[in-house]
Amino acid sequence: MRANSKPAAPLTAAVALLTAAALLLAPAPARPAEAAAHHVGYDRYSLTVDGQRVLLWSGEFHYFRLPSPALWRDVLEKIKAAGFNGVSLYFDWAYHSRAPGKYDFTGVRDVDRLLRLTEELGLYVVARPGPYINAETTGGGFPAWLKTVPGRARSSDPNYTRAYREWLARIDPIIARHQVTRGGSVIVYNAENEYAANTDPAYMEDVQRQARAHGIDVPISHNQCCDASWTPTWATGQGAVQIPGVDDYPQAFECRDPDTWGTWGEGVTERLSTGAPAYAAEYQAGAIDLNRAGYEKCRELTGPNYMKIYYKSNLITSGATMFGYYMAFGGTNWGRLAQPNDVYTSYDYGAPITENRRLTAKYDEFKRQGLFVTGVAPLAKTDPVSAPASDNPAVHTEARANPDTGTQFVLVRHADRTTDDDQSANLAWNTPDGAYTLPVRLQGRDAKILVAGYTMGGQRLAASTSELLTHTTANGRDTAVLYGTAGVEGTTILRYGSRPDVKVISGSVKSAYSNGNLKLDYTHQGLARVQITGGGREPLLLLLGTDAEAAKFWRSGETLIRGTDLVRSATTRHDTTAIRADLAKPGDIEVFNATRRLTLNGEYLHARRTGSGTLLARAKGPRPVELPALNHWRGRPGAPETTLEFDDASWKVADHTTTAGPIKPKKPPVLYADDYGFHYGHVWYRGHFTATGDERTVDLNAITGKGGIYQVWLNGRYLGSAAGGEQKDADAPVNENPGPGTFDIPAGLLPKGEKAVLSVLVENMGHNDDWTADDYRQKQPRGLVNADVTTNPITWRIQGTRTYDPLRGPLNTGGLYGEREGWHLPSAPTKAWVTASPTDPIGPGVHWYSTNARLALPKDQDVPVTLHIEPGTGRYRSLIFINGWNLGEYVNGGVQHDFTLPDGILHPHGRNTVTLAVISEDASKPGPVSLKAAANVRGGVPAP
Ligand code: GAL
């Protein structure tokens, strides 16, 4: 460990204290852009960079759930525009490693590129490489080959140790060269993940020892599950980290009931270490769709009201200054990325940014809070203080203040967090600038953080019952935006040396001046504008709006912009302000503190100067787009393995008698797919035997993970299908008979003494996680686990994925015949296929369809395209391949009908191959398939 990551020594602390007051007058520093080394430190209040306090407000992003590096920029710019100053990034071991010793960090796995991007955008990074990450990803981030390594994972077992050290030796150096201490973005390193059950401190210690040896010198953190009752917290003792954090999901995951409230408690982040900041390492910002209600319901469950009450309460009650909101953008479980117990293809998560990269009402609320918490410096160092007394017990107040500046932050919420009452109160407020009695009102589920005693640029905000969004200083003028609930009264008091000139430019605002106090009274309605000059201060443009008006503002540096659907950046050079923005429709764009000329996405905009001294222009919306219909399909059947004559001589013989897994087969041989190196997607088995003539049934048992199926043919005759076994996280000990299937053998099918072949197709839906570190779940086998067919010996052969696809990685391709032959790829020999339609009635087995779609989407627009699949009849599922990439699995009767096709995989200006592998369990008629535009905006990031 390097000295510079230790808590500040007393001397440094004293120096820091002297500079603190001065620094606190400026907004919290954006991440330093220049590639110079910086010092990262921390104390009980916050992280510091070169002694300046940083309130870390980060959102979680999984690059592995967006297989398009060009779009990483889109999402990260959106995260930044919401006011986040950081991102929390898991690194997924399974995504990078297909076999022991084999690692890939290129293409969609180029995490160096990802970290360079965070640097460029000025976002801090909490790097979370596990080795275990959970994250509802297959194996919880463990590569499936780890299932064949003996010894308990997440312990100091020597075999596991060899394996995880291999991963850390690859990933840590990449992270290390992007640390803030080397001019990069990584400010914290998170060791392990919610490591609270079956713990082994020596292992926890070694993960950190490895990190240090690999050059990690920023503080190391850990994310404790749920609350401090989960032990150890890794705050003290062997394996302790420097900044122990806590994960919290107060709304739980019951998206079916989005009105439930606080199922898992108060959601207040506990401080686990007296010497480190309170850290909400994962704080709920969405939910897994556990009961398949659809992610829109998860977004409701964790919507703006929840965010207001829980996030603001957490800030003030806990005094936390480090936050990781899980998720900012969820993304897609493409390929075989899903951990099947909890999730399906979409990992939208009900997050503020949708899977199709759209911004939601939650995004607006994040922006309202994010601009405030990352822009108001005194919030990074606060202690609890007595709160203004409320004359209504139903209105609860709580406060913190910065000990150096005196700035107060007052939480106002209902005493009963669950109520949606309309309550008013008078607050008797002793502020640093005087005592005021001010009315407040809470309408419905709501909470506010009110500010007093704040030096706001060149102004002095004595107190306000409106919330502060942000404030900027440019061209000798301050601009501040305050907001409140529409229709609710607000008061703002500003201090002046003498009576200032007050001009209400728009809206209805009453002003009164006495004893240095300029008191403004108004009702939040639209956007009011007040111009204040004189009084011994710089001019101020005060904007007083509703919540909705506040959400229309964007901030880039000191430039404030109103309008458009997203402002990615604004830079001013000479007399021109260049704006990069997205627009879903034509609209006004207003630039505060702009110079003379405006450009929007590189085009000159005709702008006029307004009475508020701003520049106002009209911006164009997108041109309409049309997507081609999917026609001219060609198809062919895809399960030749079912026939007697199929040649499987090249397949592996499944004859192992032992397995490293803790679950042993009842009788040999071991048929577990992973034991033969087939880790993802479908596997085929062919069992060869000579019939006794007495066989009556085929009794099988297969483990597929939740939602998987297996299908059985005997001598080419279809016997049927069964649901594969699953093990829920709660199942312990392991279910002995998880996926039974008994199939009758038709009379005459197995004449005595004749050779017979049993063909079984087993789907692997992904691997269980290891949340409780017991090793059983993640090592649970996939494939056949038992087969009773005949008393004669059976020779088993097994085949899964045949060749490795270095571009698309280990999780993309399974072992269907067509996948082994490359039928999912654009190079598939579909000319030799027959004219067909994916809506043709089909029988059991595998059916392939392919077509081409030429897209010509406008280059200056962002049109996220989805594949829409209408429900059909029958039991079937379809693997969706776009240009060879497995972008999901449609299950008829399941919850998901729209599949995100990210640009980069999809060519928005060219030819695309759309291929479906339809796997039917019986006679079925699949529904129609079409391309849809999930949105259409002018702007976006340049297409790859
Ligand atoms: C946490 C875990 C995350 C994720 C989340 C639920 O317990 O650390 O990785 O699984 O729950 O989405």
Side-chain angles (χ1 to χ4, degrees):
M1 186 209 302
R2 286 205 201 158
N4 67 0
S5 63
K6 284 188 185 148
L11 182 65
T12 343
V15 175
L17 212 75
L18 287 176
T19 47
L23 292 171
L24 283 169
L25 299 177
R31 204 194 58 72
E34 69 281 14
H38 298 278
H39 174 278
V40 178
Y42 64 91
D43 60 14
R44 66 182 308 275
Y45 292 110
S46 74
L47 286 167
T48 58
V49 173
D50 296 336
Q52 289 203 51
R53 294 200 174 278
V54 173
L55 189 152
L56 183 69
W57 188 257
S58 72
E60 181 89 19
F61 170 67
H62 298 161
Y63 64 90
F64 46 90
R65 287 185 159 120
L66 182 57
S68 176
L71 294 184
W72 294 347
R73 172 184 291 278
D74 179 56
V75 171
L76 292 181
E77 284 185 347
K78 284 170 175 161
I79 288 175
K80 181 165 184 188
F84 287 105
N85 60 4
V87 281
S88 201
L89 306 174
Y90 273 140
F91 295 85
D92 186 339
W93 182 3
Y95 195 68
H96 295 275
S97 180
R98 66 184 157 110
K102 300 258 185 338
Y103 287 83
D104 182 7
F105 295 97
T106 63
V108 301
R109 276 166 283 280
D110 186 353
V111 292
D112 196 85
R113 174 174 176 174
L114 173 72
L115 290 170
R116 282 201 309 273
L117 188 59
T118 57
E119 259 156 54
E120 188 201 314
L121 296 178
L123 286 165
Y124 288 117
V125 168
V126 176
R128 311 205 297 156
Y132 182 74
I133 61 170
N134 207 60
E136 293 76 58
T137 181
T138 183
F142 281 158
W145 59 256
L146 194 67
K147 291 166 80 169
T148 64
V149 173
R152 186 162 75 85
R154 307 177 79 188
S155 78
S156 44
D157 174 276
N159 295 305
Y160 173 66
T161 302
R162 225 178 343 259
Y164 79 75
R165 283 187 179 170
E166 185 184 287
W167 161 242
L168 293 181
R170 293 328 199 266
I171 191 67
D172 283 347
I174 302 176
I175 295 170
R177 61 176 179 260
H178 291 284
Q179 293 173 106
V180 172
T181 51
R182 300 191 198 170
S185 53
V186 176
I187 194 167
V188 168
Y189 178 101
N190 193 96
E192 250 286 342
N193 190 84
E194 296 191 338
Y195 188 43
N198 298 308
T199 52
D200 177 343
Y203 159 60
M204 188 63 182
E205 188 176 41
D206 188 60
V207 170
Q208 297 174 65
R209 189 183 306 123
Q210 298 304 311
R212 294 302 185 204
H214 299 142
I216 299 297
D217 55 20
V218 293
I220 296 184
S221 70
H222 173 260
N223 58 321
Q224 180 63 23
C225 176
C226 319
D227 61 52
S229 68
W230 289 66
T231 53
T233 60
W234 305 112
T236 54
Q238 188 186 14
V241 297
Q242 292 172 297
I243 307 183
V246 184
D247 292 354
D248 211 330
Y249 292 81
Q251 285 288 69
F253 302 123
E254 303 296 323
C255 303
R256 224 176 6 207
D257 303 311
D259 284 340
T260 52
W261 203 244
T263 309
W264 287 348
E266 302 283 314
V268 172
T269 302
E270 289 172 72
R271 178 184 298 277
L272 298 180
S273 160
T274 50
Y279 178 20
E282 285 175 29
Y283 204 90
Q284 183 166 21
I288 44 179
D289 185 16
L290 266 193
N291 40 41
R292 305 299 193 251
Y295 283 112
E296 282 314 316
K297 294 270 180 224
C298 301
R299 221 179 315 278
E300 256 181 72
L301 176 75
T302 57
N305 292 353
Y306 153 76
M307 295 168 67
K308 285 179 191 214
I309 294 173
Y310 278 82
Y311 299 178
K312 291 177 189 178
S313 297
N314 191 33
L315 262 165
I316 300 305
T317 308
S318 72
T321 57
M322 294 174 66
F323 299 86
Y325 286 100
Y326 193 102
M327 301 288 304
F329 166 85
T332 306
N333 291 309
W334 68 280
R336 290 295 177 176
L337 204 50
Q339 177 268 84
N341 276 333
D342 292 330
V343 288
Y344 42 95
T345 297
S346 175
Y347 196 74
D348 177 277
Y349 215 82
I353 305 173
T354 71
E355 188 182 4
N356 288 314
R357 302 175 286 106
R358 299 306 92 206
L359 310 185
T360 63
K362 286 180 62 174
Y363 183 92
D364 289 348
E365 182 55 29
F366 261 118
K367 189 167 54 161
R368 284 186 288 260
Q369 296 192 28
L371 289 178
F372 168 67
V373 297
T374 60
V376 176
L379 193 55
K381 182 184 182 186
T382 60
D383 290 313
V385 294
S386 57
S390 150
D391 65 356
N392 175 358
V395 174
H396 171 81
T397 57
E398 226 171 292
R400 305 186 74 87
N402 183 296
D404 306 321
T405 66
T407 308
Q408 296 176 356
F409 302 95
V410 178
L411 174 75
V412 181
R413 64 161 170 84
H414 289 286
D416 169 7
R417 279 178 326 142
T418 64
T419 186
D420 51 12
D421 276 5
D422 188 341
Q423 292 282 354
S424 299
N426 291 301
L427 302 187
W429 196 348
N430 286 315
T431 78
D433 296 293
Y436 307 104
T437 300
L438 298 176
V440 291
R441 180 164 161 204
L442 294 166
Q443 262 188 354
R445 282 178 171 169
D446 194 9
K448 300 177 189 302
I449 294 178
L450 309 181
V451 181
Y454 177 47
T455 298
M456 185 170 75
Q459 315 298 321
R460 179 70 178 176
L461 179 66
S464 180
T465 60
S466 300
E467 292 186 275
L468 177 59
L469 179 76
T470 192
H471 60 93
T472 60
T473 305
N475 312 330
R477 175 167 93 160
D478 291 316
T479 305
V481 186
L482 290 121
Y483 69 97
T485 313
V488 166
E489 308 72 29
T491 303
T492 295
I493 301 170
L494 294 154
R495 296 284 300 165
Y496 287 92
S498 59
R499 179 186 296 273
D501 290 327
V502 179
K503 182 174 161 210
V504 178
I505 300 172
S506 65
S508 158
V509 178
K510 275 191 269 169
S511 71
Y513 180 81
S514 75
N515 299 332
N517 291 324
L518 176 69
K519 186 161 177 274
L520 303 169
D521 287 301
Y522 46 88
T523 296
H524 297 100
Q525 207 69 266
L527 183 70
R529 298 168 184 242
V530 186
Q531 172 81 58
I532 307 168
T533 48
R537 293 190 183 277
E538 296 292 297
L540 167 67
L541 178 65
L542 189 64
L543 304 163
L544 303 162
T546 57
D547 282 18
E549 284 296 326
K552 292 181 186 162
F553 283 89
W554 304 93
R555 179 183 181 153
S556 175
E558 290 300 300
T559 306
L560 199 62
I561 295 168
R562 181 170 168 268
T564 78
D565 295 285
L566 165 74
V567 172
R568 296 171 185 275
S569 66
T571 45
T572 299
R573 192 168 306 151
H574 308 304
D575 65 349
T576 303
T577 303
I579 296 164
R580 291 170 56 238
D582 286 13
L583 287 105
K585 53 180 184 320
D588 285 347
I589 175 166
E590 182 176 13
V591 187
F592 297 73
N593 34 58
T595 44
R596 280 184 39 216
R597 288 151 55 91
L598 291 185
T599 63
L600 180 65
N601 301 333
E603 279 178 32
Y604 175 74
L605 273 188
H606 178 72
R608 68 176 174 85
R609 191 68 67 184
T610 68
S612 313
T614 65
L615 282 183
L616 184 68
R618 186 82 186 156
K620 281 187 293 192
R623 297 184 291 287
V625 294
E626 221 174 294
L627 294 171
L630 296 175
N631 291 323
H632 311 299
W633 292 88
R634 300 182 74 76
R636 68 168 294 175
E641 300 91 338
T642 60
T643 60
L644 201 53
E645 57 275 12
F646 179 81
D647 181 5
D648 59 20
S650 67
W651 291 18
K652 281 186 184 163
V653 176
D655 58 358
H656 296 186
T657 51
T658 58
T659 178
I663 302 162
K664 310 295 178 193
K666 288 208 197 91
K667 58 175 200 287
V670 174
L671 294 173
Y672 307 168
D674 293 291
D675 288 49
Y676 299 93
F678 303 125
H679 298 305
Y680 302 105
H682 287 88
V683 281
W684 275 99
Y685 294 86
R686 283 173 52 95
H688 298 261
F689 60 97
T690 303
T692 62
D694 295 329
E695 294 87 354
R696 293 292 170 267
T697 58
V698 172
D699 281 298
L700 301 177
N701 210 309
I703 306 186
T704 57
K706 185 172 172 175
I709 55 160
Y710 62 102
Q711 291 173 279
V712 186
W713 289 260
L714 186 58
N715 288 352
R717 180 87 67 90
Y718 186 57
L719 300 189
S721 66
E726 56 167 300
Q727 189 192 347
K728 301 188 186 78
D729 275 341
D731 290 351
V734 166
N735 186 347
E736 288 268 307
N737 191 27
T742 298
F743 306 90
D744 291 334
I745 299 175
L749 188 62
L750 291 186
K752 178 175 180 182
E754 297 278 314
K755 287 207 178 332
V757 178
L758 181 74
S759 304
V760 186
L761 175 62
V762 184
E763 183 171 25
N764 173 357
M765 299 299 286
H767 302 272
N768 287 65
D769 61 38
D770 192 34
W771 192 59
T772 43
D774 59 15
D775 211 37
Y776 272 102
R777 292 177 178 83
Q778 65 101 4
K779 281 212 174 101
Q780 190 191 41
R782 291 292 182 261
L784 283 178
V785 293
N786 193 41
D788 283 318
V789 185
T790 179
T791 50
N792 273 346
I794 306 184
T795 303
W796 286 99
R797 287 184 181 268
I798 180 169
Q799 178 67 61
T801 311
R802 206 186 55 181
T803 46
Y804 179 63
D805 180 338
L807 180 66
R808 301 176 182 85
L811 303 170
N812 188 70
T813 317
L816 291 175
Y817 185 84
E819 289 174 288
R820 305 199 309 267
E821 293 295 315
W823 293 356
H824 59 298
L825 299 171
S827 57
T830 49
K831 286 223 170 68
W833 298 11
V834 300
T835 301
S837 160
T839 58
D840 289 342
I842 45 173
V846 186
H847 309 264
W848 285 81
Y849 302 93
S850 185
T851 189
N852 289 313
R854 187 167 283 283
L855 300 183
L857 295 168
K859 292 224 159 101
D860 55 351
Q861 291 179 204
D862 180 11
V863 181
V865 177
T866 63
L867 189 78
H868 177 73
I869 304 188
E870 292 280 324
T873 53
R875 287 185 294 157
Y876 66 92
R877 49 195 57 213
S878 307
L879 298 183
I880 299 161
F881 294 97
I882 303 295
N883 300 324
W885 297 74
N886 175 347
L887 291 186
E889 178 168 15
Y890 169 80
V891 179
N892 198 38
V895 65
Q896 187 171 0
H897 291 272
D898 290 283
F899 293 81
T900 296
L901 315 180
D903 276 5
I905 300 298
L906 191 76
H907 307 143
H909 323 296
R911 192 181 117 119
N912 294 279
T913 307
V914 181
T915 307
L916 302 175
V918 184
I919 300 152
S920 184
E921 289 178 71
D922 46 29
S924 53
K925 178 152 179 20
V929 179
S930 58
L931 296 176
K932 276 194 170 176
N936 176 17
V937 301
R938 179 181 288 274
V941 296

